Amino acid sequence: MADLKLLNDEQKANLNKFRNIVKDFKLKDSSDEYLLKWLIVQDFNVTRAENMLRQSLEWRRVREADDILDTYTPIEVMRKYFSIGQVGIDKFGCPVFACSFGRIDIKGIRLCLTNKEYNNFVTWLLETFVLSVQKEIERTGKLTLQMVFILDFEHFSMKQLASKLAVETILDIVKHFLANYPDLFRRAFVINAPRIFSVLFAMIKPLIPATDFPKIKIFAANKSEWLPALLEEIDADQLPSFYGGTLTDPDGNPKCPSKFNMGGEVPHTYYLSNNGPIAKNYMETVNIMAGVSGKKKFKFKVDVPESVMRSLK
């Protein structure tokens, strides 16, 4: 996060130009600090920052992001098996979120969700990050505009990486986060990263703005390397005991399940396929003969924006 006082003359001029361009935009936050975020990730190119902001505003309209925290509540499978939660505050006043990423059954979770439910959850999650920052500003009166991630990749395996649905989901969440919440994270600690993490990171890398790369710290499974890095920026009482801090749940649980869960394999009873599809009055049944000529055109009524048709096999 750049300090407004440290901007050079050209950057200040671009900020003024950007402010004038977007003055009629319907923004929830029109402060210079917020506008600066869009310029930072676009290397202070005003045209690109404007285009990025316009696209994000349309995304927010389609996703109904302004109201999602009031209108949506994650379903049971997400509360139990999607690992994410705020555990504390770092030494710079930024909310710290922990995620046992390697233990999340991403493919299993996706098989439990309609596209609408998935989109709602992702939007809700990203808005939760923003809310955590806003609450910290209100609590301290300090202008805290960023957050911190601890992403634990222990148990991340080739099975997860080989799942097209899982990889698409990971890339989709990262894409929406970076495209619509620029310069929101101050630090991302990736810990217990296996060798195959490099394959996943290579796919994620094109989505990451150049200004965000220095914020990402990647560590293998050597705790003697990643723990000092965490404690350098996060006090021990703001870090779960499971990750080398002193924070526990009231019952002494070092994993702090009251703040975030450890993921795990999703029971098949949650899968949508077990509930069966709900027929719509515009659906039809057609028998298609195998072979070269076995083709048929279909017309589908799409009720929900951003709907996707895919094979889950």
Side-chain angles (χ1 to χ4, degrees):
M1 180 178 68
D3 188 334
L4 287 168
K5 298 178 182 178
L6 300 180
L7 299 182
N8 59 38
D9 290 341
E10 182 180 0
Q11 291 171 335
K12 290 178 181 177
N14 286 339
L15 177 58
N16 288 332
K17 182 179 179 181
F18 188 47
R19 188 192 306 113
N20 288 330
I21 289 174
V22 305
K23 63 183 179 181
D24 295 327
F25 288 17
K26 295 181 180 180
L27 303 175
K28 293 187 69 174
D29 184 354
S30 58
S31 66
D32 284 350
E33 289 80 8
Y34 177 74
L35 297 181
L36 187 59
K37 288 173 172 285
W38 302 88
L39 286 170
I40 288 174
V41 298
Q42 294 296 343
D43 196 26
F44 281 84
N45 184 300
V46 176
T47 300
R48 293 205 305 264
E50 178 191 357
N51 291 337
M52 183 181 181
L53 181 53
R54 285 184 183 277
Q55 291 172 10
S56 180
L57 289 175
E58 176 60 15
W59 178 87
R60 295 187 65 85
R61 184 191 68 79
V62 172
R63 291 294 187 96
E64 300 179 331
D66 289 350
D67 302 313
I68 198 73
L69 293 177
D70 296 321
T71 60
Y72 171 77
T73 301
I75 60 177
E76 181 179 285
V77 68
M78 303 307 289
R79 298 195 304 269
K80 285 187 173 182
Y81 295 97
F82 193 92
S83 174
I84 191 71
Q86 184 178 347
V87 296
I89 304 294
D90 77 354
K91 295 179 181 180
F92 303 90
C94 301
V96 177
F97 280 77
C99 171
S100 181
F101 199 97
R103 296 176 175 84
I104 301 178
D105 178 8
I106 299 177
K107 180 180 179 180
I109 283 177
R110 288 294 279 114
L111 294 176
C112 300
L113 307 177
T114 63
N115 198 56
K116 176 65 173 177
E117 177 70 32
Y118 167 73
N119 287 339
N120 280 342
F121 176 78
V122 172
T123 308
W124 173 88
L125 178 64
L126 301 182
E127 284 295 297
T128 297
F129 296 154
V130 175
L131 179 63
S132 70
V133 173
Q134 293 173 342
K135 285 183 175 179
E136 191 59 19
I137 293 175
E138 294 172 359
R139 186 181 73 83
T140 65
K142 298 179 181 179
L143 201 57
T144 302
L145 297 175
Q146 293 176 306
M147 54 180 295
V148 171
F149 290 112
I150 300 173
L151 304 172
D152 178 10
F153 271 79
E154 186 177 18
H155 299 304
F156 186 74
S157 67
M158 182 57 71
K159 178 181 177 181
Q160 292 155 294
L161 192 60
S163 168
K164 180 180 179 182
L165 183 57
V167 171
E168 286 179 348
T169 300
I170 295 170
L171 296 178
D172 184 68
I173 294 174
V174 172
K175 178 186 71 175
H176 288 306
F177 175 66
L178 295 175
N180 298 289
Y181 303 85
D183 199 40
L184 183 58
F185 75 99
R186 189 191 68 77
R187 179 76 73 229
F189 294 101
V190 176
I191 63 175
N192 297 320
R195 290 184 179 180
I196 60 170
F197 174 78
S198 61
V199 179
L200 177 63
F201 192 66
M203 290 186 277
I204 295 174
K205 198 171 181 179
L207 303 174
I208 304 175
T211 51
D212 283 341
F213 280 117
K215 306 175 186 178
I216 303 171
K217 306 297 180 182
I218 302 173
F219 300 91
N222 191 339
K223 189 174 182 179
S224 65
E225 293 182 355
W226 56 256
L227 180 55
L230 292 180
L231 292 176
E232 182 179 356
E233 301 187 13
I234 306 169
D235 288 324
D237 63 355
Q238 301 294 304
L239 184 65
S241 177
F242 184 74
Y243 291 122
T246 61
L247 183 66
T248 65
D249 263 5
D251 63 359
N253 193 320
K255 295 182 179 180
C256 301
S258 67
K259 296 182 180 293
F260 76 110
N261 67 66
M262 282 286 167
E265 185 174 353
V266 177
H268 288 202
T269 52
Y270 284 104
Y271 284 14
L272 291 179
S273 58
N274 292 329
N275 300 322
I278 300 175
K280 303 292 192 302
N281 56 14
Y282 53 82
M283 290 181 174
E284 57 181 301
T285 300
V286 177
N287 293 321
I288 301 177
M289 300 298 294
V292 177
S293 61
K295 298 180 180 179
K296 172 71 177 178
K297 286 188 177 181
F298 291 92
K299 291 184 179 181
F300 293 94
K301 177 183 177 183
V302 180
D303 298 315
V304 180
E306 297 186 327
S307 294
V308 175
M309 179 179 292
R310 60 160 59 91
S311 171
L312 299 180
K313 294 184 179 180

